[in-house]
Amino acid sequence: MKKIAATIALSTLAATGAEAQEERRRIAPAPVYEVAPALGRFTDDLLFGEVWARPVLSPRDRSLITLAALVSTGRTAQIGAHVGRALDNGVRPEEVGELITQLAFYAGWPVAISAVFETRTVFEQRSIGPVAESGAARIELEAAAEAARKAAVDGAVGPTAPALADLTNRVLFGDLWQRPDLAPRDRSLITMAALIAIGQPEQLPFHAGRAMDNGLSRDEAAEVPAHLAFYAGWPRAMSAVPVLEKVFAGRAAAAAAGTDLRVIPAAPETATPGPDAYFTGEVKVYGHYQGDAPARIGGATVAFAPGARTAWHTHPLGQTLFISEGRGLVQKDGGPVLEVGPGDVVWIPPMTRHWHGAAPDAAMTHFAIAEALDGSVVTWMEKVSDAVYPSGG
């Protein structure tokens, strides 16, 4: 009898141990198994047993991505548990707060404020005191990239929504993105994840490229939609894939193009005449260049004799003129004729009908820069009539 009793006891103990191990392995709450047992199994075995364990992204990165998805989509009931997991995975309290601040700009103030109250509850439970802002030096953004970004915002947004363009340049990139409370890579990763989660793939190329410039690898970037499929849904994750494909292809093409520096001689003596269909008067074009793919910038030096000018035209992504010599004129359709001189820079917004050329009594040379859209740099229209062009005197 004693032997039988001992056998039963060992069997019971073994069963109890197995059940306890099963309980410890479970992350899905008991009601999930009671209502949707398959969901419970997918949660424990697939989401946390496989996806969260994948080494492509660290647990800390996965916590940042998950919190970005939950905060940006207003999933407040899930935020507390994942704030706790993020803290356990090495995300500092001040970084959690800065993540919420970042997403206020990309997903809206209401979701950010709601996330604050859920997060404060976790902080109180863990005896985490008030968070202080970092006193570290502000992050310097790359000057050339910022100049290009600002020009794009001024050209595409400024004419229609000048207040939005100002806030974008002055606050979003002039303040928020320079805050040292989050590393640039983390800030980019959070923004990228939020854009996918809220279904804004059209905003993803810029931020995916920025994330990779800030240190996110190609494999890490590719892992983001795989993780987000579980937190934002398969459709939004799948919508991000073709966008990332183009970003990866563009960066690969840039790498393949090499980094050889080239000099294009000015050589005005080899200038070609400006086509008669597009210019009035004597015009010479030289020093023309076009960047290798994926670059879309091209330009040339154009010399106008007195009274010479372009025809009316537009540029899909705008144009910049740098006046190097002489005295010139520029006018947008319906606007005044403006005089320009050496050192002046002229910005023509996208799709703005305009012309430019020399003054009636003085020659002018400028360097013109424009960006191609789907291979198109300019759309030419009719010539500027003598009635429109000021005759001087």
Side-chain angles (χ1 to χ4, degrees):
M1 289 294 292
K2 288 183 179 179
K3 187 175 181 180
I4 295 173
T7 302
I8 294 172
L10 286 173
S11 300
T12 303
L13 186 61
T16 303
E19 290 171 1
Q21 186 176 2
E22 178 68 15
E23 284 298 319
R24 283 195 299 271
R25 192 178 62 79
R26 284 187 176 182
I27 294 175
V32 175
Y33 277 95
E34 295 169 3
V35 175
L39 177 59
R41 179 170 54 81
F42 282 132
T43 299
D44 292 332
D45 298 342
L46 178 60
L47 179 54
F48 288 98
E50 180 181 329
V51 175
W52 273 84
R54 283 172 58 81
V56 184
L57 287 170
S58 69
R60 181 181 181 278
D61 284 342
R62 292 188 186 277
S63 279
L64 290 174
I65 292 168
T66 305
L67 275 179
L70 296 175
V71 172
S72 62
T73 56
R75 304 294 203 273
T76 55
Q78 301 295 316
I79 288 174
H82 279 284
V83 167
R85 177 176 284 266
L87 295 170
D88 293 340
N89 285 336
V91 181
R92 302 192 309 273
E94 56 269 27
E95 291 175 323
V96 175
E98 194 68 14
L99 176 148
I100 295 171
T101 303
Q102 178 80 5
L103 295 180
F105 286 83
Y106 286 91
W109 248 248
V111 295
I113 297 298
S114 296
V116 163
F117 288 97
E118 297 298 323
T119 301
R120 186 182 66 168
T121 299
V122 179
F123 283 8
E124 289 174 345
Q125 291 169 350
R126 296 190 177 214
S127 299
I128 297 173
V131 171
E133 293 186 82
S134 171
R138 297 182 68 76
I139 296 168
E140 292 292 329
L141 304 181
E142 203 278 317
E146 268 303 282
R149 182 205 57 74
K150 183 178 183 301
V153 170
D154 288 341
V157 182
T160 303
L164 179 59
D166 171 65
L167 289 167
T168 300
N169 292 324
R170 179 170 53 85
V171 181
L172 187 62
F173 289 94
D175 189 346
L176 180 71
W177 276 90
Q178 297 182 35
R179 288 174 56 80
D181 305 71
L182 266 179
R185 177 187 176 279
D186 293 344
R187 201 176 287 278
S188 286
L189 180 62
I190 289 163
T191 306
M192 182 179 163
L195 292 174
I196 295 173
I198 61 178
Q200 295 290 333
E202 64 272 16
Q203 298 292 318
L204 191 56
F206 172 81
H207 285 286
R210 191 182 189 95
M212 296 176 76
D213 290 340
N214 285 336
L216 193 73
S217 73
R218 184 193 185 284
D219 288 344
E220 289 170 333
E223 185 75 6
V224 173
H227 188 93
L228 287 175
F230 292 85
Y231 291 95
W234 246 253
R236 288 183 175 177
M238 294 294 282
S239 295
V241 171
V243 180
L244 289 178
E245 181 183 17
K246 290 182 179 179
V247 172
F248 295 161
R251 295 178 74 86
T259 57
D260 288 342
L261 184 149
R262 287 179 294 166
V263 175
I264 301 172
E269 66 275 8
T270 63
T272 58
D276 182 65
Y278 307 144
F279 295 92
T280 297
E282 183 183 346
V283 178
K284 300 291 184 181
V285 181
Y286 58 94
H288 181 270
Y289 83 97
Q290 179 64 52
D292 294 329
R296 300 181 301 181
I297 295 290
T301 299
V302 187
F304 297 82
R309 67 269 189 182
T310 70
W312 290 102
H313 60 289
T314 63
H315 300 279
L317 295 175
Q319 183 184 48
T320 299
L321 306 175
F322 176 79
I323 314 303
S324 57
E325 296 181 59
R327 187 159 51 87
L329 304 173
V330 61
Q331 181 187 28
K332 75 170 185 177
D333 194 9
V337 176
L338 304 177
E339 185 170 308
V340 293
D344 287 344
V345 176
V346 181
W347 161 247
I348 297 103
M351 303 308 298
T352 297
R353 179 178 148 98
H354 69 289
W355 65 268
H356 40 93
D361 55 355
M364 184 272 288
T365 300
H366 67 45
F367 181 62
I369 307 168
E371 188 174 6
L373 178 64
D374 297 328
S376 173
V377 177
V378 60
T379 299
W380 291 104
M381 302 171 185
E382 77 276 12
K383 289 190 175 184
V384 175
S385 68
D386 291 339
V388 172
Y389 180 81
S391 59

